[in-house]
Amino acid sequence: MIGVFDSGYGGLTILDSIRHELPEYDFLYLGDNARAPYGTRSFEVIYQYTLQAVQYLLRSGCRLVILACNTASAKALRTIQQHDICPETHRVLGVIRPTVEAVPAVTKNGHIGILATPGTVSSGSYVLELEKVFADVNKMQNFGTLHISQQACTLWVPLIESGEYLSEGSDWFVEKYLRELLRQDPQIDTILLACTHYPLLLPKIRQSLTRIRQENGNGRLPELVAQGDIVARSLRDYLSRHPEIENSCSKGGSCRFLTTESADKFAASASVFLQSPLFRESPLAAEHIEL
Ligand code: DGL
């Protein structure tokens, strides 16, 4: 089984793409919905919560766990990889590195905006990884100087977890953070949705960006980079390079869902995040767990 973890529903946007790309594998999803959002919590708390979830997935038979959560990837991944798991038998992967590796092919001017939770922004992980990746690209392409701007979108995850993200009131908060990002650097041509919840806001983000651009003389809209397909392709590549892990992942095409919240509440909300026809085959059932 491949374990997929997020603080709540956001990781389902990653699971959706992974399952589409790799339908033959068995998946176990764990959403810590009862304790979401993680994005405003301290390093220690995010690390402890993430470790508990990873250990649960490993105990449940997963040899490989994907942290489908940028906040957990930024704050807990490295410590867990270095101190808490045995790499001979188990692997834990994050979503930041694959996302960052996709950026050089997208930006034309090196002006990059990052939309993320306060925890991901304060970790500086995206800035660090982008600088590393572009340092390599620069050697090859002489790309030029990199301009990275980060914007914490504190209320986006709570709006999504509460189901309020489609309400008119949420428009105001979507636009607020986009304006703040573009105020930092009006030349941004590439925006990373560096939180797995944010693809749910894509239609509103596009509308807001169009409005903002119209006010400023109709410039080109920035490219929006969502993570699902990027992470899915990167996982396929990882499995092909690591046959010892790949061989231990069972292949029955199943998918189970665990949540720390009420199972019925999870099942009712989760389907919004899952677009792949694979998830239409049977009604979604979830299981409540305690971490
Ligand atoms: N989906 C998580 C992420 O990618 C949201 C974190 C949170 O719970 O605030 O960062």
Side-chain angles (χ1 to χ4, degrees):
M1 255 184 318
I2 298 177
V4 179
F5 164 71
D6 182 43
S7 59
Y9 296 115
L12 295 172
T13 63
I14 302 286
L15 175 70
D16 198 41
S17 299
I18 293 181
R19 217 175 157 219
H20 185 75
E21 182 82 22
L22 301 162
E24 64 273 33
Y25 293 91
D26 292 316
F27 293 96
L28 183 59
Y29 183 88
L30 198 169
D32 191 8
N33 302 76
R35 302 190 294 194
Y38 281 13
T40 44
R41 296 187 189 275
S42 66
F43 165 83
E44 290 75 17
V45 170
I46 294 170
Y47 165 64
Q48 283 305 332
Y49 285 3
T50 305
L51 180 60
Q52 288 166 2
V54 166
Q55 286 173 334
Y56 193 101
L57 287 167
L58 298 184
R59 279 200 307 276
S60 306
C62 300
R63 286 280 306 273
L64 176 62
V65 173
I66 313 297
L67 299 187
C69 174
N70 290 270
T71 312
S73 299
K75 300 268 189 181
L77 176 64
R78 183 153 308 168
T79 317
I80 290 176
Q81 283 174 332
Q82 290 176 351
H83 301 286
D84 301 308
I85 56 156
C86 168
E88 304 301 317
T89 54
H90 295 100
R91 300 285 166 88
V92 179
L93 305 175
V95 288
I96 295 179
R97 184 72 193 194
T99 307
V100 162
E101 282 171 357
V103 177
V106 182
T107 180
K108 303 262 185 307
N109 66 4
H111 288 254
I112 296 153
I114 297 161
L115 298 170
T117 65
T120 301
V121 167
S122 70
S123 74
S125 299
Y126 268 94
V127 176
L128 205 76
E129 292 297 331
L130 279 165
E131 282 169 352
K132 276 193 227 157
V133 164
F134 275 84
D136 293 342
V137 175
N138 268 340
K139 272 179 223 147
M140 292 181 290
Q141 294 179 357
N142 196 18
F143 188 87
T145 319
L146 200 57
H147 303 266
I148 306 170
S149 307
Q150 299 197 92
Q151 179 61 48
C153 307
T154 313
L155 287 178
W156 284 8
V157 172
L159 282 169
I160 293 167
E161 285 288 314
S162 64
E164 283 292 329
Y165 66 103
L166 290 174
S167 70
E168 274 180 33
S170 77
D171 289 5
W172 192 87
F173 284 105
V174 170
E175 196 149 319
K176 170 185 159 70
Y177 298 128
L178 290 172
R179 281 188 190 280
E180 283 172 14
L181 179 70
L182 291 170
R183 207 172 290 136
Q184 291 183 52
D185 180 1
Q187 292 187 62
I188 286 171
D189 80 340
T190 303
I191 295 180
L192 302 192
L193 303 185
C195 170
T196 54
H197 283 69
Y198 296 174
L200 270 277
L201 293 172
L202 257 173
K204 289 196 180 227
I205 292 173
R206 286 209 181 91
Q207 276 168 18
S208 286
L209 284 173
T210 307
R211 244 190 327 268
I212 296 168
R213 281 298 194 233
Q214 278 166 354
E215 281 171 25
N216 299 322
N218 263 335
R220 227 181 121 82
L221 288 194
E223 292 290 335
L224 292 165
V225 178
Q227 300 178 290
D229 292 348
I230 295 171
V231 172
R233 283 194 300 271
S234 157
L235 178 58
R236 170 179 286 290
D237 179 55
Y238 180 89
L239 291 170
S240 71
R241 287 184 288 106
H242 296 274
E244 72 290 2
I245 298 292
E246 199 281 334
N247 288 335
S248 67
C249 296
S250 57
K251 297 172 192 75
S254 72
C255 190
R256 284 172 51 217
F257 297 90
L258 309 175
T259 176
T260 52
E261 245 289 354
S262 124
D264 290 345
K265 185 168 183 277
F266 181 92
S269 305
S271 51
V272 180
F273 292 74
L274 301 166
Q275 301 302 319
S276 164
L278 285 173
F279 288 109
R280 303 273 166 261
E281 283 164 13
S282 50
L284 196 144
E287 204 181 306
H288 170 82
I289 57 154
E290 305 276 340
L291 286 176

